[in-house]
Amino acid sequence: STFRSARASMMFWCSLIIILEARKQAQADGGAWYPESVALWESAEICVSGNYLMLVAHQNASDIADSFYALFA
């Protein structure tokens, strides 16, 4: 049914976001090794728009996220 399909799609996206959140946290907890890299991961952003998903760990992560969302505005 349409409801099952929508639910499956929602569960898929939630799973991807959980995976990216776990990756972000693992790197911020020291997996990135170097202090500068850890700091980037602490401020990393996960962006979702429609069928597009992005994880960005960069000193300008907020600006990059804004640019990503602007593509879909």
Side-chain angles (χ1 to χ4, degrees):
S1 76
T2 304
F3 175 74
R4 276 192 217 145
S5 177
R7 186 168 184 246
S9 179
M10 175 73 85
M11 289 175 62
F12 172 76
W13 282 106
C14 289
S15 296
L16 288 177
I17 292 169
I18 290 168
I19 290 167
L20 293 181
E21 284 287 352
R23 173 68 174 168
K24 176 182 168 182
Q25 191 61 52
Q27 294 302 305
D29 287 344
W33 292 36
Y34 298 103
E36 295 84 9
S37 298
V38 170
L40 290 177
W41 280 100
E42 288 172 345
S43 63
E45 295 203 26
I46 296 171
C47 306
V48 181
S49 184
N51 290 328
Y52 298 93
L53 178 70
M54 176 179 73
L55 168 63
V56 59
H58 188 275
Q59 64 188 11
N60 296 326
S62 182
D63 293 335
I64 294 168
D66 289 344
S67 294
F68 173 82
Y69 288 122
L71 295 171
F72 306 98

